[in-house]
Amino acid sequence: MALFRKIKQKIKDLVQKEKAKKQESKRVRRAESQEIKKEILGAQEMAVEQTKFSHPETAPFRRTPPTDLPYQYDRDRMILQVRDPRWLHTYWEVAPPTIERLKNDLREDFFNAKRVLRVYDVSDIVFNGENAHSLFDIQVNEFANNWYINTQGPDRSWCVDFGLLLASGRFITIVRSNVVRTPLEGPSWITDEEWMIPDDMFARLYGMGFGLGRSSPVGKAWQERVRQVLFSGAMASPGMASMASPVKKELKQRKFWLLVDCELIVYGATEPGAKVSVQGKEVALRPDGTFTLRFALPDGRQVMPVKAVSCDKVEERTITPIVSRETKISI
Amino acid sequence: MLKGYLCLVLHGHLPFVRHPEHENFLEEDWLYEAITETYIPLISCFERLCEEKVDFRLTMTLSPTLISMLNDPLLQERYLKHINRLIELAHKEIERTSWQAAFQKLAIMYLNQFCKARDTFERYNRQLVKAFKNFQDLGKIEIVTCAATHGYFPLMDVCRASVRAQVKVAVSQYESVFGRKPRGIWLPECGYHPGHDEILKEAGIRYFFSDAHGVLHGTPRPKYGVFAPVYCKGTGVACFGRDLESSKQVWSSIEGYPGDYNYREFYRDIGFDLEFDYIRPYIHPDGVRINTGIKYYRITGNQSPKEPYVPEWATETAASHAGNFMFNRQKQAAYLYDFMQKPPMFVSPYDAELFGHWWYEGPQWLDFLMRKIVFDQDELRLITPSEYLAQNPRHQVITPSLSSWGWKGYSEMWLQGSNDWIYRHLHVASDRMTELAKSFPQTDGLLRRALNQALCELLLAQSSDWAFIMGTGTHTSYAVRRTKEHLLRFSRLYEDIKSSSIDPNWLSDIEYKDNLFPKIDYRVHQ
């Protein structure tokens, strides 16, 4: 009974969501034209491709929260995709009317049934629902709508059903996925060779008087040698992980650290129109006769003669601040 | 005597980021950084090589989104502002480091670099794509295309109409920009799914690239491994597999060249190092620190404090690394030549942004390498895939394996907890787009614009960059937002088109914002 209430509630929620979505999308239409979204992001580079996307870090700020995508599209649908030679990913959706129909047909059995993914090996056959080479079941919880599946092997074709496994052992398919094939995990065992030359190239060569048979000059022994070369340590492609992944340079040392540096700001004022030089180099004055200079201050002593000459070049004044810096590091 | 061919491939791509509604949008910086640190240095490198009559060969991808952005007047204008600000900063830095000779020298170096960047930019009338086109027309580089918005094809196999649209839109744009059809394509992330070569063939593309295991795990087994291309069974489209040996030397975080202690340290940028008030005008207006591009330190070592960068040492190191790379390829070629009884072909692809941006000395290395290969020896020859196929037309036929050059070699990077939720929506949107394309075989006016824009929005949502960023786990909110934004815009267009209630003002607004493919034809999505 509790389960029944739960499902009823879920359907109610879905309907509410639909209503809310419609209202929300109306509001978005108005809001979109006036949106001023500001997003500030953080800087933390990890790898080359990521460094293309480098930028700093702060919390995102949004004037208008983005509307969300729909929870589902109200149709019965199951899609299967390959992730790598052993893993598949599937997502599915069952439209509410379909659920209703099942509930009506099965009554109590529906609530006692387990939700199950049935994975079929359908390599090299036309699957009719019954003729899979083998199958295995994965139980999923009632709110799951996608799953990662660890298949039994590469280079096989797979199909998945989402359905109900009744207490009686009967399996009812609710929705069926497309068929996919996992790739090989290593080199193919098939070694027959086929050669070709594109038609237009061939036409050119033929015209030049070449005859091109399909003879392959390679004997079995040579193939073995090539295989050894290719799959020995020297040029092996396993270890793909490090090859394929982008460069991961040494991250900033995560140990505790401290960086300290010093700068010196030298500023002053004189009559507007005068000429000022610092350490012999001329310095631009602001219209009001003031100036500011900023220097990185390394260890050591800096002697800074500041000389000002009046605009009529009659008078001059020099003041020389002397600054020294030393740095002690204690651990 | 010719013992081997070397095909260097630089993959240039950035996702479409253009926010005319904001004056200063952080993510647009990705483009400006890449222009200053990668694309312009590469152009300068090619210019020098051409001037000095070095007969080099290089293959490059310029992805359609990158091309759109480089050709966009608003972004060009903003780039100019950006580089001017950097020039101003470099001037200030020269002043500030008056008492630090080692740093001041570097500040001057950056000032020169930035001025040169601005100068090059203006010299080509802000049309950097034309610069690359020139080199292609001179026969020195071959530019291949890439998917329209860098969609990841293996996870779009259930909606092949989208794969077709990604390819066709890219090919159309290429034709209008370069004046001829592209001969090759760089599949995003080298993501190959068996059967997609049919779509490439339809579009007139003759070759693509895959990671090593795409060829090595193909069926039947490739006789020459990755050292010769293979033709895809049924279509005859050529597949070039990546050579891992040469890749490792550049990419590897442990033994790769970019980690050498004399090279510039990426993580010590003055945007982060310097005092806040001083650097404030050059970082994000909200006070958030960002990279400026001015970095003063060299890698120095693992634990030690970083030492100032010495350009002369770095250049010498780049030259010696170039020599080392060439030497290794020569040895590799000689070895394989004996087995294969014909010269092997080494395909060495890299992200373009590796050169200059991440690995500051990268373009110098490339320059040295190409000169050395052309002048200092005759065993290795630089070549482009088209030239190679024209000279060596006969190859084995296999079906390459599903593969990518991403993390772990397959699709996990784009299909994991953080990003698997997007496919449910992308696939439905793709089906809906096909439905629209079929329902309206002929249209014009507002409806046609809406349909075209719907395809643009779908393509933008399909950018693999968003899933990638979500997968890395850092600053994912921008990527999530973009995915949702484009999907929601698409949904709205879909509903409006079906109910014949298109809002012309809203449509014009998003046409203006997402303007990357003005000549798109929605009917390619079927």
Side-chain angles (χ1 to χ4, degrees):
Chain A
M1 260 342 261
L3 201 59
F4 175 73
R5 248 181 272 128
K6 242 197 205 164
I7 294 182
K8 200 171 174 191
Q9 188 56 42
K10 187 119 204 289
I11 295 180
K12 252 200 196 138
D13 288 342
L14 282 170
V15 172
Q16 290 283 32
K17 262 200 176 116
E18 273 304 306
K19 276 210 188 116
K21 186 188 84 169
K22 288 215 176 83
Q23 286 168 355
E24 182 64 8
S25 71
K26 259 202 207 132
R27 196 182 61 76
V28 164
R29 270 166 226 206
R30 257 175 274 130
E32 258 226 282
S33 45
Q34 308 146 6
E35 75 195 13
I36 306 173
K37 287 189 206 145
K38 239 185 180 191
E39 197 133 296
I40 316 152
L41 303 160
Q44 202 187 339
E45 291 91 328
M46 277 184 73
V48 181
E49 215 168 322
Q50 246 188 292
T51 66
K52 293 196 311 199
F53 309 125
S54 59
H55 39 273
E57 72 186 319
T58 44
F61 163 68
R62 281 186 285 271
R63 196 69 74 81
T64 332
T67 321
D68 232 332
L69 296 166
Y71 179 73
Q72 62 177 39
Y73 291 93
D74 295 338
R75 46 166 102 168
D76 296 340
R77 181 186 165 91
M78 187 163 196
I79 296 289
L80 185 60
Q81 299 194 101
V82 173
R83 192 187 85 171
D84 56 45
R86 291 187 180 262
W87 286 83
L88 308 173
H89 178 259
T90 179
Y91 67 82
W92 63 91
E93 206 182 291
V94 185
T98 310
I99 310 234
E100 280 305 308
R101 198 174 25 89
L102 281 167
K103 276 200 317 214
N104 290 333
D105 291 346
L106 299 173
R107 276 172 272 235
E108 306 84 50
D109 287 344
F110 182 88
F111 305 108
N112 297 329
K114 299 198 177 108
R115 308 274 185 287
V116 153
L117 291 179
R118 179 158 282 193
V119 185
Y120 304 97
D121 179 335
V122 298
S123 307
D124 308 312
I125 58 169
V126 178
F127 185 47
N128 62 12
E130 317 274 320
N131 56 348
H133 299 293
S134 63
L135 58 86
F136 61 94
D137 286 348
I138 303 173
Q139 192 180 348
V140 299
N141 67 57
E142 75 180 276
F143 301 111
N145 65 3
N146 77 97
W147 209 264
Y148 286 93
I149 299 171
N150 189 352
T151 68
Q152 284 137 6
D155 198 30
R156 308 291 299 161
S157 294
W158 307 94
C159 182
V160 182
D161 277 359
F162 170 66
L164 297 171
L165 185 62
L166 304 182
S168 61
R170 182 173 152 221
F171 177 75
I172 300 181
T173 301
I174 303 179
V175 69
R176 173 165 292 162
S177 78
N178 50 307
V179 176
V180 297
R181 191 172 185 104
T182 43
L184 283 166
E185 230 172 14
S188 167
W189 293 114
I190 303 172
T191 56
D192 316 322
E193 290 170 23
E194 186 188 331
W195 290 81
M196 79 168 255
I197 184 165
D199 289 343
D200 54 343
M201 307 272 201
F202 182 75
R204 235 177 289 148
L205 287 170
Y206 191 78
M208 294 195 317
F210 277 74
L212 222 51
R214 278 194 66 236
S215 57
S216 159
V218 181
K220 278 277 155 95
W222 186 2
Q223 278 191 319
E224 259 319 286
R225 271 172 84 199
V226 174
R227 190 186 70 83
Q228 271 165 29
V229 167
L230 292 175
F231 302 110
S232 68
M235 291 170 224
S237 76
M240 244 168 274
S242 57
M243 278 332 94
S245 70
V247 169
K248 273 196 171 84
K249 228 182 180 155
E250 298 282 346
L251 282 178
K252 257 196 173 135
Q253 295 302 320
R254 297 302 296 172
K255 300 202 293 270
F256 188 65
W257 53 275
L258 174 66
L259 278 177
V260 176
D261 215 341
C262 295
E263 286 184 348
L264 183 71
I265 298 182
V266 177
Y267 63 99
T270 178
E271 274 174 15
K275 282 230 188 316
V276 173
S277 65
V278 172
Q279 289 180 318
K281 238 179 105 201
E282 185 164 342
V283 166
L285 291 185
R286 293 192 197 91
D288 62 1
T290 62
F291 62 91
T292 307
L293 296 169
R294 186 172 175 137
F295 299 104
L297 185 66
D299 282 352
R301 197 158 164 271
Q302 310 296 338
V303 177
M304 281 161 289
V306 182
K307 179 161 104 170
V309 178
S310 62
C311 11
D312 56 8
K313 307 207 190 165
V314 170
E315 296 184 68
E316 67 171 61
R317 300 268 183 284
T318 303
I319 299 182
T320 309
I322 301 173
V323 173
S324 62
R325 170 189 166 185
E326 61 175 287
T327 311
K328 282 204 203 110
I329 301 178
S330 36
I331 301 166
Chain B
M1 178 192 150
L2 179 67
K3 291 263 175 87
Y5 297 103
L6 178 61
C7 176
L8 294 165
V9 186
L10 297 185
H11 170 54
H13 164 70
L14 281 172
F16 186 75
V17 175
R18 182 178 176 275
H19 295 273
E21 66 275 21
H22 296 275
E23 210 185 289
N24 211 327
F25 201 89
L26 206 53
E27 282 75 3
E28 274 178 16
D29 273 5
W30 300 339
L31 176 67
Y32 311 142
E33 269 173 36
I35 292 178
T36 315
E37 297 172 355
T38 298
Y39 307 133
I40 290 185
L42 284 175
I43 290 174
S44 307
C45 168
F46 300 158
E47 280 178 342
R48 262 194 320 269
L49 292 170
C50 281
E51 259 165 53
E52 298 173 35
K53 310 255 191 296
V54 182
D55 191 26
F56 69 99
R57 292 286 184 277
L58 189 83
T59 311
M60 259 198 93
T61 313
L62 289 176
S63 77
T65 46
L66 177 60
I67 291 176
S68 281
M69 291 194 290
L70 289 174
N71 284 346
D72 183 81
L74 174 68
L75 295 177
Q76 289 166 351
E77 185 62 41
R78 286 182 175 180
Y79 175 69
L80 211 50
K81 287 208 187 100
H82 170 93
I83 196 73
N84 281 331
R85 257 204 319 273
L86 278 181
I87 289 173
E88 183 188 275
L89 177 59
H91 277 296
K92 280 195 179 159
E93 276 298 288
I94 292 174
E95 288 299 313
R96 193 185 65 83
T97 53
S98 296
W99 300 333
Q100 294 178 312
F103 293 124
Q104 196 183 46
K105 204 175 79 164
L106 298 174
I108 294 173
M109 176 185 90
Y110 283 114
L111 177 67
N112 286 337
Q113 184 188 334
F114 298 149
C115 287
K116 181 142 192 254
R118 182 176 61 186
D119 172 65
T120 306
F121 190 64
E122 295 286 34
R123 231 182 337 112
Y124 284 103
N125 276 323
R126 311 184 182 187
Q127 307 288 332
L128 293 180
V129 178
K130 283 229 171 70
F132 290 114
K133 176 177 185 295
N134 280 349
F135 296 118
Q136 173 161 260
D137 294 340
L138 287 172
K140 302 294 183 232
I141 71 175
E142 176 164 356
I143 302 177
V144 298
T145 187
C146 182
T149 55
H150 211 265
Y152 180 69
F153 290 171
L155 295 177
M156 286 163 64
D157 187 57
V158 291
C159 42
R160 283 203 183 180
S162 280
V163 177
R164 190 168 287 115
Q166 289 262 352
V167 172
K168 288 197 164 159
V169 169
V171 167
S172 266
Q173 190 215 43
Y174 184 101
E175 239 181 315
S176 66
V177 170
F178 295 104
R180 57 162 237 231
K181 278 184 168 305
R183 293 192 201 116
I185 189 171
W186 174 272
L187 296 173
E189 310 292 349
C190 284
Y192 173 74
H193 189 290
H196 290 183
D197 46 301
E198 282 165 25
I199 296 176
L200 298 182
K201 180 163 186 199
E202 247 180 72
I205 291 175
R206 313 204 59 161
Y207 66 86
F208 63 95
F209 301 91
S210 81
D211 202 354
H213 56 295
V215 172
L216 294 175
H217 295 177
T219 313
R221 192 183 298 179
K223 170 180 164 182
Y224 294 128
V226 292
F227 303 112
V230 291
Y231 288 123
C232 291
K233 185 156 174 86
T235 55
V237 178
C239 172
F240 286 88
R242 173 160 82 131
D243 167 46
L244 292 177
E245 194 58 32
S246 52
S247 280
K248 197 165 58 162
Q249 293 207 278
V250 178
W251 277 116
S252 165
S253 55
I254 308 155
E255 32 185 303
Y257 298 132
D260 189 285
Y261 295 161
N262 284 333
Y263 287 148
R264 194 186 73 165
E265 170 62 66
F266 183 83
Y267 291 112
R268 290 297 299 273
D269 188 291
I270 65 169
F272 292 91
D273 281 356
L274 291 186
E275 197 270 322
F276 185 71
D277 286 318
Y278 173 79
I279 202 69
R280 200 184 167 134
Y282 305 98
I283 56 177
H284 194 266
D286 290 339
V288 191
R289 290 178 179 269
I290 57 174
N291 277 319
T292 59
I294 298 180
K295 303 175 208 262
Y296 287 136
Y297 294 92
R298 61 180 200 266
I299 296 172
T300 317
N302 282 335
Q303 309 292 335
S304 39
K306 305 290 178 186
E307 297 289 316
Y309 180 65
V310 183
E312 295 77 25
W313 297 358
T315 302
E316 262 174 51
T317 309
S320 98
H321 281 162
N324 174 267
F325 186 85
M326 183 178 78
F327 174 77
N328 284 326
R329 301 288 79 64
Q330 285 172 309
K331 290 292 148 263
Q332 201 183 357
Y335 189 51
L336 286 165
Y337 183 81
D338 284 340
F339 278 125
M340 289 169 61
Q341 296 295 300
K342 71 175 196 177
M345 161 76 148
F346 303 119
V347 176
S348 306
Y350 308 101
D351 267 349
E353 287 73 24
L354 170 65
F355 292 86
H357 174 64
W358 171 254
W359 180 21
Y360 186 62
E361 299 77 7
Q364 290 181 55
W365 175 86
L366 206 56
D367 184 294
F368 282 127
L369 179 67
M370 297 206 279
R371 275 170 210 271
K372 282 182 201 276
I373 291 181
V374 170
F375 292 134
D376 294 353
Q377 53 88 58
D378 60 356
E379 285 159 10
L380 270 185
R381 188 186 309 163
L382 291 169
I383 201 167
T384 63
S386 295
E387 278 181 330
Y388 177 86
L389 287 174
Q391 293 166 23
N392 303 277
R394 184 168 178 266
H395 297 291
Q396 192 179 353
V397 175
I398 74 171
T399 302
S401 163
L402 188 158
S403 56
S404 82
W405 82 341
W407 181 50
K408 291 195 183 166
Y410 297 100
S411 302
E412 187 168 343
M413 188 69 214
W414 303 273
L415 186 58
Q416 44 170 303
S418 55
N419 53 26
D420 53 23
W421 57 272
I422 67 179
Y423 297 102
R424 173 186 307 271
H425 304 286
L426 289 177
H427 294 158
V428 165
S430 177
D431 287 344
R432 286 177 167 179
M433 187 68 230
T434 305
E435 180 199 324
L436 289 176
K438 291 197 166 128
S439 313
F440 298 102
Q442 289 282 34
T443 55
D444 54 15
L446 193 65
L447 180 56
R448 190 197 179 89
R449 280 170 51 203
L451 286 162
N452 285 340
Q453 193 61 26
L455 181 54
C456 273
E457 297 297 332
L458 174 62
L459 293 176
L460 283 167
Q462 290 171 340
S463 252
S464 70
D465 308 277
W466 313 137
F468 179 85
I469 294 175
M470 291 182 219
T472 62
T474 44
H475 356 295
T476 57
S477 40
Y478 182 72
V480 170
R481 196 187 109 193
R482 287 293 299 266
T483 305
K484 290 188 174 174
E485 204 166 70
H486 294 298
L487 281 169
L488 287 169
R489 283 182 188 163
F490 174 83
S491 301
R492 181 170 160 188
L493 280 164
Y494 174 74
E495 307 286 351
D496 287 357
I497 290 170
K498 293 203 67 166
S499 59
S500 305
S501 55
I502 302 166
D503 176 350
N505 290 329
W506 179 74
L507 179 60
S508 296
D509 185 50
I510 60 172
E511 274 176 331
Y512 169 65
K513 288 179 181 153
D514 294 334
N515 66 345
L516 70 168
F517 296 128
K519 301 193 193 135
I520 202 172
D521 181 353
Y522 66 94
R523 287 169 295 187
V524 298
H525 194 285
Q526 298 187 53

